[in-house]
Amino acid sequence: MKLGNTLIEKGQKWQGELKVTDHYSIPIYGICGEEEGKTLVITAGVHGCEYVGVQTARKLWKSLNPREMKGQVILLPLVNQYGFYEGAKQIVPEDGENLNRVFPGKSDGTLTQRIAYVIEKEIYPHADFLIDLHGGDCNEAMEPLVFFPVAAKSLVNEISRGAASYLPVTYRVSSTAKNGLYSYATQKGIPALLLEIGGEVLYHTTALGIKKGDPLIAYGAY
């Protein structure tokens, strides 16, 4: 599997950065199984105060053994770092935009639009299936639920809904959204889901053992 200019060999884990601007990068993990197979993309931290998804991605990274895997997993465990560190509800504080409302992005737009553009151009092409992990924001008390698309092509809708049926959540919600990280992926032909578990700041940076400016965050090694 090749991510950017990096070739990840079978049976290997890799961690690095997905460059957005000269001053902003997204931590990225790549895990390549011993056998050929499909690629699952998992994103988290699109909304900086939704900590459950971030923690889940971290735990998943630690638990996966590429020598026991078939196919590949790509993890973006903290997409909106500025929002995470500043406790900014739903937005990227640099420009005040909601990343889950700006797809497709722009290469010369705001920071939020540029994040969307890079994810679309660099990550979508790898994905056979995408899951965007959310956790209920600091003002939301939520039952576990999953959103699945109904506004994409029929096969994409069918595959996504089938996957949603296996998840042990309270609610499964059909969605006509088209401009979010997961929903725009479905418009590009990628089956995808948005999973919501948690809320009301059940986790915080202190609970995760992460401090602002921690160099391990920048390189995804946490």
Side-chain angles (χ1 to χ4, degrees):
M1 176 174 63
K2 191 171 184 179
L3 289 176
N5 295 322
T6 301
L7 179 64
I8 309 171
E9 302 288 350
K10 292 181 180 180
Q12 288 187 344
K13 282 185 170 183
W14 170 84
Q15 48 194 27
E17 295 181 325
L18 182 63
K19 183 178 178 181
V20 177
T21 71
D22 289 340
H23 306 289
Y24 192 91
S25 296
I26 301 170
I28 181 171
Y29 304 159
I31 308 165
C32 190
E34 286 280 9
E35 298 183 46
E36 296 287 343
K38 295 183 180 291
T39 299
L40 172 65
V41 171
I42 298 175
T43 56
V46 166
H47 294 146
C49 294
E50 299 186 12
Y51 306 112
V52 175
V54 177
Q55 177 73 321
T56 299
R58 294 173 67 224
K59 287 187 174 182
L60 182 62
W61 162 254
K62 293 177 181 179
S63 67
L64 288 177
N65 182 349
R67 299 190 180 279
E68 299 174 352
M69 283 175 46
K70 182 177 181 179
Q72 296 75 228
V73 175
I74 298 171
L75 286 147
L76 302 182
L78 187 54
V79 175
N80 179 6
Q81 295 190 68
Y82 287 171
F84 179 84
Y85 287 124
E86 295 187 24
K89 184 173 62 178
Q90 297 183 340
I91 64 169
V92 175
E94 176 82 6
D95 49 47
E97 292 188 277
N98 184 339
L99 179 58
N100 227 27
R101 301 290 185 273
V102 302
F103 282 78
K106 296 180 181 179
S107 61
D108 59 351
T110 62
L111 176 60
T112 305
Q113 292 167 343
R114 292 185 184 200
I115 292 171
Y117 177 83
V118 168
I119 290 173
E120 179 193 346
K121 298 302 179 184
E122 299 293 333
I123 302 302
Y124 280 7
H126 294 283
D128 292 300
F129 198 98
L130 184 147
I131 303 175
D132 188 24
L133 301 179
H134 287 246
D137 216 310
C138 55
N139 64 325
E140 297 173 323
M142 304 182 70
E143 289 290 332
L145 63 91
V146 61
F147 289 99
F148 61 88
V150 293
K153 292 182 178 179
S154 297
L155 182 59
V156 171
N157 292 339
E158 181 182 343
I159 294 172
S160 302
R161 182 168 187 157
S165 70
Y166 286 97
L167 296 175
V169 295
T170 308
Y171 299 107
R172 296 172 181 84
V173 183
S174 62
S175 172
T176 58
K178 297 181 179 180
N179 59 352
L181 193 157
Y182 103 95
S183 57
Y184 190 66
T186 67
Q187 298 302 301
K188 303 295 286 186
I190 304 164
L193 301 172
L194 187 155
L195 183 62
E196 291 263 17
I197 296 178
E200 295 187 314
V201 196
L202 295 183
Y203 291 93
H204 199 279
T205 52
T206 52
L208 301 182
I210 300 170
K211 302 182 293 297
K212 186 174 182 179
D214 187 340
L216 296 181
I217 274 286
Y219 294 96
Y222 60 92

